[in-house]
Amino acid sequence: MQLTASIFKAYDIRGIVPSTVDEAVAEALGRAFGTVARSEGETAVAVGRDGRLSGPSLSAALVRGLVAAGIEVIDVGRVTTPMLYFAASTLCASGIQVTGSHNPRDYNGFKMVMRGRAIYGDEILALRRMMETESWVLQPGGTVRNVNVLAPYRDRIVGDIKLARPMKIVVDSGNGIAGASAPAILRAIGCEVIELFSEVDGNFPNHHPDPSKPENLRDLIAALRESGAELGLAFDGDGDRLGIVTREGNNIYPDRQMMLFAQDVLSRVPGGTILFDVKCSQRLAPAIEAAGGVALMYKTGHSLIKAKMKDIEAAGQAAPLGGEMSGHIFFKERWFGFDDGTYAGCRLLEIVSRSPDANQVLNDLPTSFSTPELNVKCAEGEPHRVTAELQAVAAAALVASATASGRDPSLARISTIDGLRVDWPDGFGLVRGSNTTPVLVLRFEGHTPEALHRIEADMLALLRSVKADAAIEEAAH
């Protein structure tokens, strides 16, 4: 079978419909995934899809492939990615969501769970090889049954969350799939909900469903001002990420949300390990440690964070919470450990409802001056070569730079767990290779504007010493 290599990403399979992802690709994936599932002793696989226009045809083809491999398919229909994860945590242990996440509307793809673990990296490449060689094993006995998971999913959240007082909020679903479930769940936990763009429409006619981009929050900020609501919540296209906006229009980025979540979780799981990715604020680790937790910085990637949390739990330690700057938040305490924008929103409302002024609680979280996520476009394969070169020269270059400007070179702490991150006492700089597109990802933070400017200048000088043509632009998701 001829496949486009670029659709096989680090954490999922994703491309443009129908030029690189079509029904033939979906059916072949079903046959390959079903074959691997059966080889691991799995007989059932849940299948869901988000609100994209190509979802029904791709999902039907995927189901045909799974059935041909002898799988009992549990079709949960049009749901958020977290609802598919819920099905794969309660009805069976494996699942595939047909979703384009936050990508442009002509994209679609597949997020996969096998026996409770997120599929990524080498396992995705193994599926690709099986699809290319058509070396799957087909067998009779495959079936399909349709299951509605909304009611048990809603009941599980409503039974877990206790607001201290009613709250008036605005919810912007951006015409993504969360609009079909999140507003009703938020009402059920005791919120008065003003809805924006809840109608599921794969054309995304109002704005793109990606709350990590400030331009997609303008309608939410305007509605907060007009309505007098306390807080705004925004969801991405498949509902696994959350954006939070205060009454004044301040975006509470996920690393600051994590400070609040960590304090709350650690009050019940003292000494627990809290994971976060290399893009998060330098202010996060001290907040975790002050709350009695172990702060662990790790590689960016929702599948990687989830796998690391499982490793920590398997070693007999508690890993009750993880989070990424991108907005994926993973609660293991009181939840299943998968990323869920609706559940994270409910947990945040539960915490801030204990205060008479929710906005004050959020605005009081430690903050710094930072750049948005920046990108440097590269040739295919170049990002990881550049970061390897940076790792090799960083220590000597930073010593030379600090000495020349009269600063103590020992104050720079270097991390190479994911690209190059350098922490100074007053901020950090990050250059890492994206695992999903051929770009370098840059982020800079300073405790003061002056520190931010210095760190950005130092890191860009270092980058251009190994890639002289590096052109910086704001990240476009």
Side-chain angles (χ1 to χ4, degrees), residues 134-314:
E134 301 185 14
S135 55
W136 46 62
V137 177
L138 305 185
Q139 53 185 291
T143 59
V144 183
R145 63 185 172 105
N146 296 304
V147 177
N148 186 336
V149 295
L150 177 56
Y153 172 77
R154 180 190 60 224
D155 292 347
R156 176 66 176 75
I157 294 177
V158 173
D160 179 70
I161 300 292
K162 301 286 181 285
L163 294 195
R165 59 180 177 83
M167 296 187 69
K168 182 178 180 180
I169 60 173
V170 182
V171 174
D172 184 343
S173 300
N175 299 108
I177 189 63
S181 56
I185 290 170
L186 290 159
R187 286 193 180 97
I189 67 167
C191 292
E192 178 185 344
V193 180
I194 297 163
E195 297 184 48
L196 296 178
F197 317 132
S198 294
E199 182 186 355
V200 180
D201 183 344
N203 290 306
F204 307 127
N206 294 289
H207 63 74
H208 201 61
D210 182 359
S212 70
K213 309 299 287 181
E215 62 268 24
N216 296 325
L217 300 173
R218 288 177 193 142
D219 295 308
L220 181 59
I221 290 168
L224 276 166
R225 288 202 185 103
E226 291 162 15
S227 66
E230 274 192 88
L231 291 175
L233 276 64
F235 298 106
D236 75 336
D238 65 333
D240 60 7
R241 294 188 298 137
L242 170 73
I244 295 287
V245 177
T246 66
R247 183 182 282 153
E248 302 84 18
N250 295 326
N251 187 350
I252 305 298
Y253 285 99
D255 49 0
R256 292 180 77 203
Q257 296 173 30
M258 281 289 292
M259 298 175 194
L260 198 64
F261 291 140
Q263 290 165 4
D264 178 61
V265 166
L266 290 166
S267 70
R268 293 179 297 277
V269 191
T273 298
I274 311 295
L275 266 78
F276 56 93
D277 78 318
V278 293
K279 294 196 279 186
C280 286
S281 171
Q282 193 182 65
R283 304 280 197 182
L284 178 53
I288 292 168
E289 288 159 359
V294 177
L296 181 60
M297 186 168 71
Y298 198 60
K299 302 172 188 178
T300 292
H302 63 91
S303 299
L304 305 179
I305 297 267
K306 280 184 274 199
K308 186 66 172 176
M309 288 175 71
K310 284 184 179 291
D311 289 346
I312 293 168
E313 296 269 349

Side-chain angles (χ1 to χ4, degrees), residues 34 36-45 70-71 92-94 114-116:
V36 175
R38 291 203 65 106
S39 75
E40 294 197 17
E42 293 287 281
T43 57
V45 175
I71 293 292
C92 56
S94 300
M114 179 79 74
R115 289 184 65 198

